[in-house]
Each structure stands twice: as C-alpha cells, then as structure tokens.
Amino acid sequence: MTEVGTLAARIRAEVGKAVIGQTDTVDLMLTALFCGGHILLEGPPGTAKTLLAQSFARSLSLDFGRIQFTPDLMPGDILGSNIFNFQTSTFTLTRGPVFCDILLADEINRTPPKTQAALLEAMQERSVTVDGDTHVLSDRFTVIATQNPIEQQGVYPLPEAQLDRFLFKQTLDYPSRDDELKVVEAHGSRGGMPDPVALGVQPVADAAAVAAAIAMVGRVRLAPEITAYVVDLVRATRESADLETGASPRAAAMLALASRARAALDGRDYVIPDDVKTLALPALRHKVVLSPAAEIEGRRVNQVIGSLIEQAAAPR
C-alpha cells in the first residue's frame, strides 16, 4: 500500500508541472484509474480540462487516444470499421481511437446520442462490437471525458444510461486568485496550446505499475459497518423528497470500490468513513435527478447530496 501511495504522489507531482491546482481532480482521476472507472470533467472553457487529461496520460506509460467530438462524428470514427482488402479478398478491421488505455473524450456532449452510444459497450464491458464481431479492449481502458456546461446550442446532453457509466463527475471551477496568478506567470509568455511534454511532464508509471496498483486495491479491507454506511447513504437518495430518481445499487457497489482505491492512495489497507464521504458527492451527483418541487425552490443536486452526507450516521 505504501508503494501505491508513493506512485500516486509521483503522478500528482508530474501533473502539477503543467496544471496548477486541481489536486482534488487529479486524486479522482487516480481513483478512477486504480478501480477501473471512468470520469467526466465538467467546467467552463479555459479551466484546463483537456490539459489536465493530457498531462495525466503523459505521466503514465500507457497508450493514449483522443477524440474531439463534433456534431458530424459517426460511431465508426470511434470504433473503427471493416475495410475490404482487394489483395486478400477479406475484410480487415481498421481500429478506431477507442483501442487504447487512456481515452480523452473531449467535449463529449457535442456529438449526437447515436455517436455517444458507441462508447456504452466500451465503458461498461471493455469491448466493442463491429459488424457482429466482438473485440476486447485493454483491461486498463479508462475514459476521461470533458464537457462544457455553459453553452446550450449545438450540444446533446448525455442520457442517464451514459452518465451512469461514469464513476465520477467532477466540476471544475475557476481557480483562486493566487492560483490564477501562477497560471498567468507560467503560461502567459507562451503562444499556442500548452504542451505537457514542453512543460516537463514525464512518465513515472508503466503498465506493470498500474496493474500492481489495481491488484492492491482489491486487497483493501472494507469492514461490514462501512459497507452498511455506503448502502444506507445510497438508499437515502431514493428516499429523499428532493430527488425524483435516486442512485442505483450499482452506484453503491462503485462507491464502495472507489473507497477502496481512495484508501490505497493514502497508503492504507482499510477503508475509513472519510473515504466514503470524500467520494460520495462526485460519485452520486450525476446518478440522481432533482424533483420538480426542488427545482422550483432553486435547490441544487450538490446541496441535496451534501445534506444527505451530513445526515447519514457514519460508523465510529
């Protein structure tokens, strides 16, 4: 477990060379990677969502792919397609960018639902089906998706089934004044888009190290009272009058697994209630739907989830 914590610290340090602040987001990305989950980053333009994903992937010696989602993107542009080879008179699969370890799905809400759905099987089962043939993806396949919550024209909100595939939804806000000063000092003298390589981000973990960390997460102990705490917290979302739809049992299982990964990042082989509390909001905010009455009253999902976390009795 100490090695997992050390590895996480090295990755944080490398990402910090390019992205100032956002340490909580980096921790969520590490948690998602080590427990086989996916993460959705939502924030206004210019908050380093893309740079954060690129720097994170750069710090890992894993195969990296990127898709810039646009309204005219087709499922075949993501998955690939079978091309007829006239020399051999056979069809050959030309693999799309989804065949990688870390996939940056940039501005995922800019493409129609038909194309968004191309990722459903990949994210859930780590496989894709092309012309009836199933192709297995990497065991480490992780999607880091970004979306802009401000614009309303030319965007296609992700359906509930797609959102449920994401382990976390993290909202990125504008940095503090001190952090923004550091951003301007670091990037105000360069033209063009920031490049993680030019900013000194180096790979510090290979596939073997990531596989070892994932294996260690499975050895983290989850006490029965912690399991009950997770279940009670998720069930409370279904009983709340402020929520029309609560989180599913799958959300509870994913939160429990993420809590194990969070404990491993801190070098512990056991989960504590604070692990669950830290992850509950990003793990549940996109898996619930506000009730009409709560919307009329101006309540927000974050407020409702936060209240449920405070009310849930944590084990001692």
Side-chain angles (χ1 to χ4, degrees):
M1 293 302 168
T2 304
E3 294 179 359
V4 176
T6 302
L7 176 63
R10 294 171 63 188
I11 294 174
R12 291 189 197 101
E14 291 300 316
V15 175
K17 294 178 181 179
V19 180
I20 296 170
Q22 304 297 356
T23 54
D24 291 343
T25 305
V26 175
D27 283 347
L28 288 178
M29 295 167 72
L30 283 167
T31 303
L33 176 66
F34 290 161
C35 68
H38 313 284
I39 183 170
L40 175 63
L41 305 179
E42 182 180 87
T47 50
K49 299 185 297 295
T50 301
L51 179 61
L52 184 61
Q54 291 175 328
S55 302
F56 182 76
R58 170 65 181 170
S59 69
L60 305 166
S61 297
L62 300 177
D63 188 18
F64 176 65
R66 176 180 178 179
I67 303 173
Q68 184 67 50
F69 282 86
T70 58
D72 60 347
L73 200 69
M74 298 297 291
D77 298 325
I78 298 175
L79 307 180
S81 58
N82 284 317
I83 304 299
F84 187 73
N85 188 329
F86 287 94
Q87 293 181 339
T88 61
S89 297
T90 59
F91 284 93
T92 303
L93 175 65
T94 301
R95 297 191 169 194
V98 74
F99 287 89
C100 62
D101 293 318
I102 306 292
L103 177 66
L104 170 57
D106 216 356
E107 296 187 283
I108 190 173
N109 59 334
R110 284 198 173 277
T111 199
K114 178 181 179 180
T115 305
Q116 292 175 0
L119 283 176
L120 286 175
E121 181 184 1
M123 295 174 66
Q124 182 65 29
E125 303 175 21
R126 284 180 168 77
S127 65
V128 297
T129 302
V130 181
D131 293 340
D133 295 326
T134 300
H135 305 272
V136 179
L137 299 177
S138 167
D139 292 338
R140 297 172 297 276
F141 177 71
T142 302
V143 174
I144 303 174
T146 71
Q147 68 176 12
N148 175 7
I150 297 178
E151 296 183 77
Q152 301 297 325
Q153 295 183 344
V155 297
Y156 304 85
L158 295 177
E160 297 302 323
Q162 186 95 35
L163 287 172
D164 197 54
R165 298 302 198 277
F166 287 100
L167 173 62
F168 297 127
K169 177 184 177 182
Q170 174 71 338
T171 56
L172 280 70
D173 204 350
Y174 293 113
S176 65
R177 186 177 185 278
D178 291 340
D179 284 344
E180 194 163 359
L181 284 172
K182 295 177 183 178
V183 170
V184 175
E185 291 172 355
H187 302 290
S189 60
R190 297 184 177 92
M193 289 295 294
D195 181 14
V197 178
L199 294 171
V201 180
Q202 297 294 329
V204 294
D206 56 12
V210 173
I214 294 174
M216 292 299 294
V217 169
R219 296 171 55 185
V220 175
R221 290 182 285 110
L222 189 67
E225 54 268 25
I226 300 294
T227 302
Y229 176 51
V230 171
V231 171
D232 291 342
L233 181 57
V234 171
R235 290 180 64 86
T237 65
R238 302 177 214 151
E239 300 167 358
S240 172
D242 292 324
L243 297 175
E244 181 178 0
T245 303
S248 66
R250 177 165 61 182
M254 294 172 70
L255 177 56
L257 178 58
S259 300
R260 293 176 186 265
R262 179 74 185 195
L265 289 182
D266 290 341
R268 285 181 279 105
D269 64 349
Y270 56 92
V271 177
I272 61 176
D274 284 346
D275 295 325
V276 180
K277 290 181 179 180
T278 301
L279 300 178
L281 180 57
L284 299 177
R285 57 160 55 110
H286 56 297
K287 300 179 185 295
V288 300
V289 178
L290 275 177
S291 66
E295 289 186 0
I296 292 174
E297 294 173 359
R299 303 202 66 184
R300 297 289 183 266
V301 168
N302 287 1
Q303 296 174 335
V304 175
I305 298 295
S307 297
L308 294 177
I309 295 172
E310 292 178 358
Q311 295 170 9
R316 297 183 179 275

